[in-house]
Amino acid sequence: MTDSSNAEPRRIKSLQRGCEIIEVVQELDGASLQEIESHVDLSRGTIHTYLSTLVDCRLLVRNDNVYQLGYRFITMGEYVRNTTDIYTAGQQEVDKLAESSGEYVHLVIEDEGREVAIYERRGQQAVGTDYHHKMRETPQYLHDSASGKAMLAHLPEGRIENIIDRQGLERQTKNTIVDRDQLWDELEEVKKCGYAINDEEEIRGLRAVGAPIIDSDESVVGAVSLTAPTSRLKGDRFESEIPELVMETANLIEVNLETMTFDRTV
């Protein structure tokens, strides 16, 4: 008799294909039936049926002959974010850090080996708005960002290896860490000092400092990071002042998370 406990769980292929079509429409920033057909291994008639169904469900909209993501994703995304504990615990702390520093501050989580920004605040001096907006739209690598490395450093070793194997160590700039051993060395240093840095590793001209957010079970649940131009994030500000502020913000979010679930019963 076959042991079903270790068997691969069943999947609904039609639902997977519908998700694939949605992802293609997003990646192409809107697409016609013909364009979708070139990216999906289905007949034109079948794709048209999927598209009609997705339009009926308001997950896609059709403008002339171009399909785009529907506004329903906005309300669904807002619901997901607003019911996430780390967002509730971290929003005001992120706002305070952005206001006091004048720079961009992000609150992020790790999802399937990528970094997802669930909240950001732009300080008065912040730059790179288009870049930061793009970060929100697409999950980012972990190995080349301060917040990503801050989270990676506190994951189980087997999980880190799995993420590196699946996601790779893609080079973004000449400073990006693309050597596995070098990354491991940096992650060890992150665990010791309590924060991670991004020294023009993701985009030239920008530096960042990130600190992990750890819950009561000693598990990393996210990170907070501050990003600024190299001209402003340098010297003592890069090496001590901002790291202290970012770690303080992460600690305050941890306290907020703890008090949200604190049981006062004796």
Side-chain angles (χ1 to χ4, degrees):
M1 183 175 179
T2 303
D3 182 5
S4 60
S5 62
N6 294 322
E8 184 72 18
R10 296 177 62 187
R11 301 287 190 269
I12 301 175
K13 291 189 179 297
S14 59
L15 186 56
Q16 287 182 318
R17 289 167 179 157
C19 290
E20 181 183 358
I21 290 172
I22 290 172
E23 290 173 353
V24 168
V25 170
Q26 180 185 8
E27 290 170 3
L28 297 179
D29 195 20
S32 65
L33 173 61
Q34 292 78 8
E35 290 171 324
I36 297 170
E37 185 181 12
S38 67
H39 288 77
V40 178
D41 188 21
L42 294 170
S43 69
R44 177 171 295 194
T46 301
I47 294 173
H48 186 269
T49 299
Y50 273 101
L51 291 172
S52 298
T53 303
L54 291 169
V55 169
D56 286 346
C57 293
R58 295 183 292 115
L59 295 175
L60 294 181
V61 294
R62 180 181 177 182
N63 296 315
D64 295 327
N65 292 318
V66 176
Y67 293 89
Q68 296 174 315
L69 297 190
Y71 293 124
R72 188 175 184 183
F73 281 108
I74 296 176
T75 55
M76 293 171 70
E78 284 292 316
Y79 171 80
V80 172
R81 185 179 72 169
N82 293 341
T83 55
T84 301
D85 285 346
I86 194 173
Y87 169 74
T88 303
Q91 179 185 7
Q92 290 187 355
E93 305 307 332
V94 167
D95 289 346
K96 292 174 186 176
L97 181 56
E99 183 177 352
S100 64
S101 67
E103 308 293 358
Y104 255 114
V105 181
H106 289 88
L107 182 65
V108 306
I109 59 171
E110 178 267 326
D111 181 53
E112 294 295 318
R114 290 288 189 107
E115 173 186 310
V116 176
I118 63 170
Y119 184 66
E120 70 176 32
R121 182 63 181 266
R122 184 182 188 275
Q124 290 186 345
Q125 301 180 77
V127 299
T129 299
D130 290 343
Y131 160 72
H132 291 290
H133 284 177
K134 194 65 177 178
M135 281 181 59
R136 293 210 319 258
E137 296 174 1
T138 307
Q140 303 295 308
Y141 290 110
L142 298 176
H143 71 284
D144 58 7
S145 74
S147 50
K149 286 186 285 186
M151 292 187 292
L152 266 181
H154 292 272
L155 292 175
E157 290 188 5
R159 181 88 192 286
I160 298 173
E161 289 285 3
N162 180 262
I163 289 174
I164 295 174
D165 289 341
R166 285 191 295 118
Q167 303 293 342
L169 298 175
E170 184 171 322
R171 182 180 294 282
Q172 307 293 343
T173 73
K174 66 177 183 178
N175 290 353
T176 307
I177 297 176
V178 295
D179 178 79
R180 186 182 294 247
D181 291 337
Q182 183 183 354
L183 178 61
W184 272 107
D185 288 343
E186 179 146 346
L187 296 181
E188 284 297 320
E189 185 62 28
V190 170
K191 291 182 71 173
K192 291 178 184 177
C193 67
Y195 68 93
I197 64 169
N198 164 10
D199 191 1
E200 299 185 87
E201 298 165 49
E202 192 174 10
I203 187 169
R204 189 171 62 86
L206 289 180
R207 284 178 172 150
V209 177
I213 299 168
I214 309 296
D215 67 8
S216 58
D217 295 326
E218 298 298 319
S219 299
V220 60
V221 293
V224 59
S225 66
L226 182 150
T227 304
T230 56
S231 59
R232 290 203 296 265
L233 199 52
K234 60 184 179 179
D236 288 342
R237 192 166 192 255
F238 185 41
E239 296 170 5
S240 59
E241 180 185 339
I242 293 300
E244 287 294 333
L245 289 174
V246 172
M247 287 190 290
E248 178 184 2
T249 299
N251 178 242
L252 290 171
I253 295 172
E254 291 170 349
V255 172
N256 289 342
L257 281 171
E258 186 72 15
T259 56
M260 284 169 57
T261 58
F262 182 66
D263 187 353
R264 294 184 178 274
T265 59
V266 178

